[in-house]
Amino acid sequence: MRLSSLLTSTARWGRAGFALGALALLSGCDYNFWRMDGHQSTITVAGPVARSQLEVFYVTCWVTLVIFILVGGVLAYATLKFRAKNEAEEKAVPPEQGHGNPLIELGLIGASVLALVIIAIPTLKGIWYTYDVPEDRKADTYEITATGYQWWFKFEYPSEQIAGTGALTTGNELVIPAGRPVRINIRTIDVIHSFWVPKLAGKVDMMPNRANFLWLQADEPGYFWGQCAEYCGDSHAVMRFRVIALSPKDFADWVAQQTSPARNVTPKPGEETPKAQFASLRTFKQNETGITDKYEIAPLEAWKAKQFPEKGENAALIAQGKALFASKTCASCHEVRGHGAAGISGPNLTHIGARSMLAAGLIENNAEQLRRWIRDPGSVKPGNKMAKGYLDNNIKLTNEEEVALVAYLQSLK
Ligand code: HEC
Ligand SMILES: [Cu+2]
């Protein structure tokens, strides 16, 4: 009896030990786990605003660690020192309880105030610093307006005006100049969302009827993950976006490309289709959710590769897709500038082919995933508003039509 209970308990501990060991082993393989890095890490930061927020976090951590060690130490000391050492002591009436020592109590109040002051000084400095772009950097500031929609983001560039249209508008991928402060006006069209780019800055709520803003800066060119950080309905958890920071020259090129109307693919006979320049750099793995690892391994290069036309474009198919875009209600919700589509309830698709991700950072922007999205957006992203106006109105696409639409969307660089 005793032996068997001993055995079961050893087995139990053994299992727990094994589980712990396996966990350590598994996480041991993950370099990023120990570095506390990941797409949305606030510990590995890439800009001054996030860095300032991290510093406040560390100050608070250290102060509370010191308090923990002191209080834990005194508790452990008292527990060991004053425990009942034999049966007689266990049964004894506890000694008369005191009402505290005024000196210790005053000391504790003083120490708490000191701890709060130590935390408050960098916190207040951080709040002022992150609130708005510092005076001496104001002249260099670039301005963008971000608007939250259920469940995607619209980005407008007021300083890039397009004749007859207004400000340059994109969706789900926020392209910014690296090394410059960027002031972001924060708006919402429906419910409360929250704008957060963990490695750069955040979070500030997107509130109905309230003009919030924040500023951020990326030290270097890079590809960053953003996320809506305020519960906003069905697809809140997958309401993401990307931030792409580019060098001044790349940024100017990007603006020039984006402010021009959508591409028209009409190759002349004998003309060669341009080749994608980075796409063949590596081979990438793909998981079942439709996200390849190329944005993990070389995110910025992979994004840049998307800026070039796809290999082997089929002009006839693209033209067919363009016509379908107008006839299958797509144009009533989406804008494709220069192609006569001016809908505003969905993301602007003028240059959709040049974005790395679809549906607010959820799936990769490639032929297979585009087709999956067009066929049944609701099964990819629960509750999203595209399915409502389109499949619910009994718009059906044949396989050929899907392929043509995909070719068309991919050509919009
Ligand atoms: C009722 C309005 C509506 C109609 C009609 C509609 N869409 Fe959409 N579409 C949306 C909305 C809203 C989203 C954003 C969904 C999300 O991510 O939550 C979207 C997203 C997309 C995206 C991804 C954009 C991005 O930035 O990630 C593509 C591509 C797209 N739609 C293509 C189409 C095509 C092709 C059609 C026609 C067959 C179509 N849409 C019809 C509203 C619509
Ligand atoms: Cu949201």
Side-chain angles (χ1 to χ4, degrees):
M1 183 63 196
R2 253 187 124 177
L3 182 70
S4 73
S5 76
L6 186 74
L7 279 179
T8 37
S9 78
T10 348
R12 203 174 300 139
W13 281 109
R15 257 201 308 273
F18 177 76
L20 275 176
L23 195 73
L25 208 69
L26 276 176
S27 53
C29 301
D30 187 353
Y31 171 65
N32 284 340
F33 177 86
W34 295 113
R35 227 166 42 116
M36 291 202 247
D37 193 5
H39 300 321
Q40 305 200 357
S41 167
T42 49
I43 305 281
T44 317
V45 294
V49 176
R51 198 169 301 117
S52 151
Q53 289 167 334
L54 180 62
E55 275 157 19
V56 173
F57 169 76
Y58 276 141
V59 170
T60 316
C61 255
W62 291 122
V63 169
T64 44
L65 186 71
V66 169
I67 294 175
F68 173 75
I69 290 171
L70 285 177
V71 175
V74 172
L75 184 67
Y77 173 78
T79 315
L80 291 175
K81 166 109 181 159
F82 301 110
R83 74 187 194 281
K85 292 178 192 72
N86 51 45
E87 221 161 298
E89 275 189 20
E90 241 169 63
K91 293 211 172 100
V93 183
E96 204 185 317
Q97 303 294 300
H99 284 99
N101 178 326
L103 221 57
I104 292 184
E105 282 183 9
L106 280 176
L108 284 179
I109 292 173
S112 316
V113 170
L114 185 71
L116 287 179
V117 169
I118 294 176
I119 293 176
I121 291 172
T123 305
L124 289 173
K125 270 170 72 178
I127 289 174
W128 278 311
Y129 180 71
T130 55
Y131 178 68
D132 204 351
V133 182
E135 261 332 298
D136 57 331
R137 310 282 323 273
K138 279 232 161 86
D140 194 28
T141 304
Y142 193 82
E143 195 174 318
I144 295 169
T145 300
T147 308
Y149 283 69
Q150 282 173 317
W151 289 269
W152 58 280
F153 292 89
K154 180 170 89 181
F155 301 115
E156 282 162 302
Y157 293 69
S159 46
E160 319 302 340
Q161 292 290 330
I162 303 165
T165 313
L168 164 64
T169 303
T170 68
N172 298 326
E173 293 196 348
L174 173 62
V175 179
I176 58 170
R180 268 176 83 175
V182 179
R183 195 173 191 271
I184 300 180
N185 304 312
I186 303 228
R187 307 284 184 267
T188 176
I189 202 87
D190 38 49
V191 300
I192 303 179
H193 302 276
S194 182
F195 182 91
W196 189 32
V197 196
K199 291 194 173 184
L200 297 180
K203 330 155 171 169
V204 170
D205 276 3
M206 308 178 121
M207 311 264 282
N209 299 321
R210 200 189 155 109
N212 280 349
F213 64 88
L214 62 68
W215 78 280
L216 52 78
Q217 181 183 317
D219 295 331
E220 304 284 334
Y223 184 91
F224 306 99
W225 272 251
Q227 168 83 46
C228 171
E230 176 75 47
Y231 178 69
C232 58
D234 296 31
S235 270
H236 159 70
V238 289
M239 180 173 166
R240 303 174 197 157
F241 61 106
R242 299 288 190 270
V243 177
I244 294 101
L246 298 177
S247 67
K249 174 167 184 314
D250 284 355
F251 185 70
D253 285 353
W254 179 82
V255 168
Q257 179 207 19
Q258 293 285 316
T259 45
S260 48
R263 225 174 121 239
N264 257 319
V265 183
T266 42
K268 296 167 198 85
E271 195 181 59
E272 237 185 279
T273 28
K275 285 196 177 58
Q277 305 201 348
F278 304 82
S280 54
L281 277 182
R282 288 170 216 267
T283 49
F284 301 101
K285 282 184 290 194
Q286 187 171 53
N287 65 26
E288 72 276 13
T289 56
I291 299 175
T292 57
D293 58 8
K294 68 184 172 202
Y295 295 100
E296 316 246 341
I297 300 168
L300 192 58
E301 283 65 38
W303 180 86
K304 283 183 176 170
K306 286 298 289 180
Q307 309 308 305
F308 297 90
E310 308 282 327
K311 281 185 230 173
E313 288 184 324
N314 180 336
L317 200 61
I318 292 172
Q320 194 192 334
K322 187 176 168 184
L324 284 166
F325 196 84
S327 64
K328 297 288 179 184
T329 69
C330 316
S332 62
C333 294
H334 293 289
E335 177 173 354
V336 179
R337 197 161 20 85
H339 288 193
I344 51 164
S345 59
N348 188 310
L349 301 182
T350 307
H351 299 280
I352 180 69
R355 288 186 213 148
S356 55
M357 305 297 289
L358 290 174
L362 179 56
I363 46 175
E364 197 196 320
N365 185 9
N366 58 32
E368 195 187 330
Q369 299 302 328
L370 250 177
R371 191 164 170 194
R372 185 177 152 213
W373 174 255
I374 293 170
R375 179 177 306 153
D376 191 1
S379 74
V380 179
K381 188 170 182 179
N384 85 81
K385 310 250 163 111
M386 173 152 151
K388 285 205 175 65
Y390 152 53
L391 291 177
D392 293 1
N393 281 333
N394 221 12
I395 305 285
K396 294 213 177 63
L397 299 171
T398 62
N399 283 342
E400 290 70 37
E401 288 170 337
E402 281 170 11
V403 172
L405 272 168
V406 167
Y408 169 61
L409 292 167
Q410 285 197 301
S411 77
L412 298 176
K413 297 286 183 175

